[in-house]
Amino acid sequence: MTEHQHSHRFERGTDGPKVILVGVDGSDSSLRAASYAGGLARRQRALLAVVYVQPVMAAGAALGVPVAETTDEIAEDLVAQIRDSAERVKGIFDVRWEFHTFRGDPYNGLVTVADELKADAVVVGASEQAGHRIVGSVAIRLVKAGRWPVTVVP
């Protein structure tokens, strides 16, 4: 295989990513990931796809808290935070962005949206949960999938 063939094998777009997907869940690291991805989208003139996958909890796990309402409130709060950030920097740069939210597990949700939007790059925050250091985070699973360049923001 020549060097020329090798470089084309991994190239998605010829002049940088056109769709940058970022997963958000309200954690500080995911909001830093959204900021990073926003800057990347601006520089690449790409679409920023912000994705929040609302967790589905097992029956009784919420101890009487109406889970659907809670996760909807989180989604609305995230949209408000992103809109607020976008408004504050509107004069500096314009980023085309869209927000996607649905229920499911974060890994499969991000994979589904990345495939549907033909994402060129995926950005996620590093897991802030101690258990993930052992069992593997969504970020590690996305990297292992090997379908897109994945950036993990601390």
Side-chain angles (χ1 to χ4, degrees), residues 24-84:
V24 294
D25 62 7
S27 66
D28 288 344
S29 70
S30 81
L31 295 174
R32 285 191 296 273
S35 294
Y36 177 88
L40 203 57
R42 175 182 54 83
R43 290 187 296 277
Q44 300 284 352
R45 293 182 178 84
L47 172 68
L48 177 64
V50 180
V51 180
Y52 169 56
V53 182
Q54 300 179 28
V56 174
M57 295 185 193
L63 302 173
V65 176
V67 179
E69 285 176 31
T70 304
T71 54
D72 284 342
E73 280 171 26
I74 292 168
E76 285 165 23
D77 185 50
L78 285 169
V79 172
Q81 285 182 51
I82 293 159
R83 283 218 168 94
D84 185 48

Side-chain angles (χ1 to χ4, degrees), residues 7-150:
S7 68
H8 276 296
R9 190 167 173 210
F10 297 104
E11 192 173 359
R12 295 290 295 260
T14 53
D15 52 356
K18 292 300 173 207
V19 177
I20 296 171
L21 183 143
V22 61
V24 294
D25 62 7
S27 66
D28 288 344
S29 70
S30 81
L31 295 174
R32 285 191 296 273
S35 294
Y36 177 88
L40 203 57
R42 175 182 54 83
R43 290 187 296 277
Q44 300 284 352
R45 293 182 178 84
L47 172 68
L48 177 64
V50 180
V51 180
Y52 169 56
V53 182
Q54 300 179 28
V56 174
M57 295 185 193
L63 302 173
V65 176
V67 179
E69 285 176 31
T70 304
T71 54
D72 284 342
E73 280 171 26
I74 292 168
E76 285 165 23
D77 185 50
L78 285 169
V79 172
Q81 285 182 51
I82 293 159
R83 283 218 168 94
D84 185 48
S85 298
E87 287 300 315
R88 271 185 275 137
V89 294
K90 210 177 213 171
I92 305 166
F93 62 84
D94 268 344
V95 175
R96 291 180 304 127
W97 64 278
E98 54 190 42
F99 185 82
H100 300 264
T101 185
F102 51 91
R103 287 176 177 77
D105 79 275
Y107 171 77
N108 287 314
L110 291 173
V111 166
T112 300
V113 178
D115 282 345
E116 281 178 15
L117 297 178
K118 296 179 175 39
D120 296 284
V122 176
V123 180
V124 289
S127 174
E128 294 179 2
Q129 295 178 1
H132 281 176
R133 292 192 190 105
I134 301 156
V135 297
S137 65
V138 169
I140 290 168
R141 291 175 68 194
L142 288 166
V143 170
K144 285 182 176 175
R147 283 151 65 182
W148 328 263
V150 176

